[in-house]
Amino acid sequence: MLWHPLVAAALIGAAAAGGVLLHIGAVSVAALIGWLVAGAAGGFAVSGST
């Protein structure tokens, strides 16, 4: 049967694509959280110094 390798390749490709998307999403969320935390910390520092 020829479709078994094709199905396996498709599943591996889909898993790899999903993993990449999840990784990109996780990095984006982490960057967003870091940006928000840095912005909040900077805001507190500015408001505290004035």
Side-chain angles (χ1 to χ4, degrees), residues 3-31:
W3 62 273
H4 279 294
L6 295 178
V7 170
L11 288 176
I12 292 171
V20 169
L21 287 176
L22 281 176
H23 182 69
I24 291 173
V27 169
S28 298
V29 170

Side-chain angles (χ1 to χ4, degrees), residues 31-48:
L32 178 62
I33 292 173
W35 180 71
L36 288 173
V37 169
F44 282 131
V46 169
S47 65

